[in-house]
Amino acid sequence: RERFATLEIVGVDRSPSAIARARERFGDDRCRLHVHDINDLGALALGRFDLLLSVGTLHSPGIVNSKTLVMQLVQEHLTPTGAVILGFPNCRWLDGEVLHGARPPNYNHPELSLVLRDVDWCKRYLQQHRFRVTVTGRHYLFVTATRINVERAAPSP
């Protein structure tokens, strides 16, 4: 609890109601909350962070260019020792029933390939940039990545 009280929190969402709710819950001096298009983060001059968390924002084709955004987050907003948590929705509720996967336009049943494609791309990208990556979850699939600390040993005599 003490450590949490010292953290600086930055939130960005295009929804004014989401930011208003966040301000109700976290609206103190250590929280910077922005109503802004996440495709244009450069305009906010946010800086770098030890943890980047994105849950339920990278799956909106036509609204978010997820590949470009993930690359920008890692390259421009993550500290050298930082970690990443990306959450992809893997279900929806219909009449109280959980249906896993997305429902593509030409299918009459949910299908997982769309979310798996996005998760796989993020995993591969992060691995290429020297992260240890795990994928977990059920209703949400979480891509969790921490930097691989490679210490160069001195050459043997």
Side-chain angles (χ1 to χ4, degrees):
R1 207 173 263 261
E2 291 173 15
R3 172 83 171 113
F4 183 75
T6 65
L7 299 177
E8 176 189 11
I9 298 170
V10 176
V12 179
D13 199 295
R14 64 185 254 149
S15 168
S17 63
I19 293 297
R21 177 79 172 118
R23 283 193 176 114
E24 288 173 14
R25 295 188 72 190
F26 305 107
D28 57 30
D29 292 339
R30 65 192 174 94
C31 296
R32 291 187 291 148
L33 303 170
H34 305 274
V35 176
H36 194 77
D37 180 359
I38 63 172
N39 292 303
D40 184 31
L41 290 177
L44 294 176
L46 297 173
R48 294 190 177 268
F49 301 93
D50 295 320
L51 175 64
L52 297 175
L53 174 65
S54 174
V55 178
T57 56
L58 297 175
H59 69 288
S60 304
I63 297 174
V64 175
N65 185 337
S66 60
K67 291 178 183 177
T68 302
L69 181 59
V70 169
M71 290 187 289
Q72 179 185 15
L73 290 172
V74 170
Q75 294 171 16
E76 298 175 19
H77 297 291
L78 191 64
T79 62
T81 58
V84 178
I85 301 172
L86 307 174
F88 295 85
N90 187 36
C91 70
R92 58 193 170 85
W93 281 263
L94 184 63
D95 297 327
E97 180 183 359
V98 176
L99 301 175
H100 287 91
R103 185 143 185 206
N106 298 338
Y107 288 71
N108 62 358
H109 59 279
E111 213 272 321
L112 292 170
S113 66
L114 297 175
V115 69
L116 293 178
R117 179 195 64 203
D118 292 341
V119 166
D120 183 59
W121 185 89
C122 288
K123 180 181 179 186
R124 287 173 188 251
Y125 176 80
L126 291 164
Q127 286 173 330
Q128 290 170 354
H129 287 81
R130 309 194 52 75
F131 284 86
R132 179 174 293 111
V133 182
T134 58
V135 178
T136 58
R138 184 175 177 189
H139 298 310
Y140 268 80
L141 298 180
F142 289 97
V143 176
T144 306
T146 55
R147 297 270 189 189
I148 297 173
N149 294 328
V150 179
E151 296 192 27
R152 299 191 186 265
S156 308

